[in-house]
């Protein structure tokens, strides 16, 4: 999960802070001290994290692109310059551009907001309702985000004005998945360290676990840290967390498990016990560095995690791993674009049978216990997918649109037949009724109205040489679709 650090370099950050009679510091110095502490922690314990550093005032600037070179990040912090007033919306737009350009809109990202921007924030929130469609407020971001606001002020200072309310509103606009951190007590180096320590404990603490397989085991780090999940369908939803003891319950061929739905993917790294790991991401380059392999992370000591990784890669199999009570995932080898493989872990939805075609995980067993080899003597067949014991009476071909391209194909098929009326009258109504039935079942009234508009447009585009019945059929179909879209018809079939 990449991280963007957004550093305020406006004039408000140059306000002096007296530290117990010693020399004066600026708020910027406190912020830099806290970020240096964070970067040192990540370099030692979270070094697989890609981090970018941005500075902002009235404009924004990308100081360090996404990298694992924490020396470069700390060096950039030491060279910060002071600029003019703050513009919150410009900074947020900059974060959105930088993240989407590098990771797209599907990758979750953590944003650390470090600064003192309360006047500008108040103005932006007060004018929020007056934004036009061409200048929408940048939040929420188009990608999943956790926003951590690190305030260079204590709670008492924020509560004297509406600053805390504004920060909470900003967090709500971002999606609410994040936290506001303030200093406890006077502004000083000790308290800013404590504030960043709370951030580290909350979001950047490494997840260490022990991977077991029979009598073999290995200490591993799972990156990024698996988040607790809450199942909506439970009567009393409770957060479920991944156990620190991961038990491999069996192995299965990649072809049998195919590409299952997962809730998250993680890199599994063996914990180095002999400290012979080469440093990762310390080269002076702005390019994204490749992950260290399992053997690099384990050094020269024999390690079960390295053995497992190599075996899965050679045999073309995955390992089913138990994450908790009735919660499973899979371990597998994945090669990156440079043909360098890593041991990955994907988490399934909690439940006894997360993959229906495999059945219940607890019902799976070794081939040696089967009466006959389910794969055949020459591996010419597979026991999967499992067939349901009872054929459902309502099993039939149903129109389902999983992607927009599927719906577009059905609409284009109807329009092609419409242009060939009256020769294709039967096919035209067959396809139109199929789409209409699905739209009514889904409550997709907009589709019926849109289809009616398309048919009316086709009617106006008919050439002079077209058969008179073509215009009649198109008008009739469009009229019935409009009636259905307003729920005033008796929903009878079109013919």
């Amino acid at each position: 999960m990449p991280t963007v650090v957004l550093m305020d370099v406006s004039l408000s950050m140059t306000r002096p802070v007296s530290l117990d009679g010693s020399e004066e510091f600026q708020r910027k110095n406190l912020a830099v001290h806290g970020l240096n502490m964070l970067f040192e922690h990540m370099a030692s314990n979270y070094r697989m994290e890609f981090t970018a550093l941005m500075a902002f005032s009235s404009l924004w600037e990308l100081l360090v692109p996404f990298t694992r070179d924490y020396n470069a990040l700390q060096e950039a912090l030491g060279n910060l310059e002071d600029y003019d007033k703050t513009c919150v919306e410009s900074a947020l737009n900059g974060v959105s551009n930088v993240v989407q350009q590098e990771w797209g809109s599907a990758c979750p990202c953590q944003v650390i907001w470090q600064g003192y921007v309360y006047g500008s924030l108040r103005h932006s929130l007060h004018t929020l309702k007056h934004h036009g469609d061409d200048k929408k407020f940048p939040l929420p971001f188009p990608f999943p985000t956790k926003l951590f606001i690190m305030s260079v002020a204590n709670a008492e200072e924020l509560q004297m004005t509406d600053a805390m309310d504004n920060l909470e509103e900003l967090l709500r606009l971002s999606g609410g998945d994040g936290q506001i951190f303030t200093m406890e007590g006077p502004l000083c180096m000790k308290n800013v360290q404590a504030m960043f320590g709370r951030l580290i404990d909350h979001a950047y603490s490494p997840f260490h676990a022990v991977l077991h397989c029979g009598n073999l085991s290995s200490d591993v780090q799972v990156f990024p840290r698996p988040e607790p999940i809450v199942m909506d369908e439970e009567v009393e939803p409770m957060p479920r967390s991944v156990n620190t003891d991961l038990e491999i319950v069996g192995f299965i061929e990649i072809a049998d498990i195919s590409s299952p739905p997962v809730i998250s993917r993680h890199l599994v790294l063996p914990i180095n016990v002999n400290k012979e790991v080469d440093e990762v991401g310390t080269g002076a380059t702005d390019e994204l560095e490749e992950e260290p392999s399992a053997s690099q992370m384990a050094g020269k000591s024999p390690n079960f995690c390295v053995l497992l990784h190599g075996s899965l890669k050679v045999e073309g199999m995955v390992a089913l791993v138990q994450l908790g009570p009735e919660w499973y995932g899979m371990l597998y080898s994945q090669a990156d674009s440079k043909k360098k493989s890593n041991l990955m872990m994907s988490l399934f939805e909690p439940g006894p049978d997360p993959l229906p075609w495999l059945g219940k995980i607890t019902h799976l067993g070794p081939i040696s216990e089967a009466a006959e080899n389910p794969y055949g003597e020459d591996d010419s067949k597979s026991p999967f997918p499992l067939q349901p014991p009872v054929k459902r009476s309502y099993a039939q071909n149903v129109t389902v649109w999983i992607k927009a391209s599927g719906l577009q194909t059905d609409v284009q098929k109807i329009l092609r037949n419409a242009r060939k009326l009256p020769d294709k009258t039967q096919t035209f109504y067959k396809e139109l009724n199929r789409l209409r039935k699905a739209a009514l079942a889904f409550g997709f009234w907009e589709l019926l109205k849109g289809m009616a508009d398309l048919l009316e447009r086709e009617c106006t585009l008919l050439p002079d040489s077209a058969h008179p019945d073509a215009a009649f059929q198109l008008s009739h179909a469009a009229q019935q679709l409009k009636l259905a879209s307003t729920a005033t018809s008796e929903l009878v079939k079109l013919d």
Side-chain angles (χ1 to χ4, degrees), residues 280-295:
V280 179
T282 56
T285 175
D286 289 338
E287 296 182 358
L288 302 186
E289 300 89 349
E290 56 187 346
E291 293 86 350
S293 65
S295 58

Side-chain angles (χ1 to χ4, degrees), residues 339 404 424 450:
K339 304 303 180 185
K424 294 288 186 178

Side-chain angles (χ1 to χ4, degrees), residues 16 23 35 44 46 48 56 75 91 115 119 240 252 260 302 320 445 485:
E23 62 176 308
L35 288 175
S44 301
Y46 230 66
M48 300 304 295
F56 74 97
E75 183 179 349
R240 302 186 64 173
I252 192 169
L320 294 177
W445 315 115
S485 68

Side-chain angles (χ1 to χ4, degrees), residues 174-193:
S174 72
D177 198 1
Q179 193 169 333
I180 300 172
F181 294 88
T182 60
M183 293 193 199
E184 297 178 353
L187 303 184
C188 62
M189 294 295 185
K190 179 180 178 181
N191 289 337
V192 79
Q193 287 179 359

Side-chain angles (χ1 to χ4, degrees), residues 89 123-137:
E89 295 176 45
H123 174 75
S124 294
L125 294 178
H126 285 176
T127 60
L128 188 62
K129 297 181 180 179
H130 304 292
H131 285 66
D133 292 337
D134 56 333
K135 287 189 176 181
K136 290 184 178 179
F137 194 72

Side-chain angles (χ1 to χ4, degrees), residues 93-232:
N93 278 318
V95 171
S96 182
N97 293 337
V98 168
V99 173
Q100 289 189 88
Q101 183 177 2
E102 190 66 54
W103 304 100
S105 58
C107 179
C109 183
Q110 298 187 132
V111 178
I112 298 176
W113 180 305
Q114 172 74 74
Y116 191 85
V117 294
Y118 312 122
S120 172
L121 178 59
R122 182 188 304 112
H123 174 75
S124 294
L125 294 178
H126 285 176
T127 60
L128 188 62
K129 297 181 180 179
H130 304 292
H131 285 66
D133 292 337
D134 56 333
K135 287 189 176 181
K136 290 184 178 179
F137 194 72
L139 294 181
F141 291 120
F143 45 86
T145 313
K146 286 187 176 182
L147 178 61
F148 299 108
I149 301 175
M150 313 301 293
S151 174
V152 192
N154 54 36
E156 291 76 11
E157 183 180 355
L158 296 177
Q159 290 170 355
M160 291 176 60
T161 62
D162 60 350
M164 181 59 79
D165 294 335
N166 291 333
L167 291 178
E168 291 175 350
E169 177 65 13
L170 184 70
L171 189 63
R172 186 192 67 80
L173 290 173
S174 72
D177 198 1
Q179 193 169 333
I180 300 172
F181 294 88
T182 60
M183 293 193 199
E184 297 178 353
L187 303 184
C188 62
M189 294 295 185
K190 179 180 178 181
N191 289 337
V192 79
Q193 287 179 359
M195 179 176 69
F196 272 87
R198 297 196 301 273
L199 170 67
I200 290 171
D201 292 340
H202 179 78
Y204 292 98
S205 57
F207 185 85
H208 293 154
V210 181
L211 182 62
H212 301 277
C213 181
N215 295 324
L216 300 175
S217 64
S218 176
D219 294 327
V220 297
Q221 178 181 348
V222 180
F223 178 88
R225 184 182 184 89
E227 296 288 339
I229 66 168
V230 178
M231 299 302 295
D232 295 335

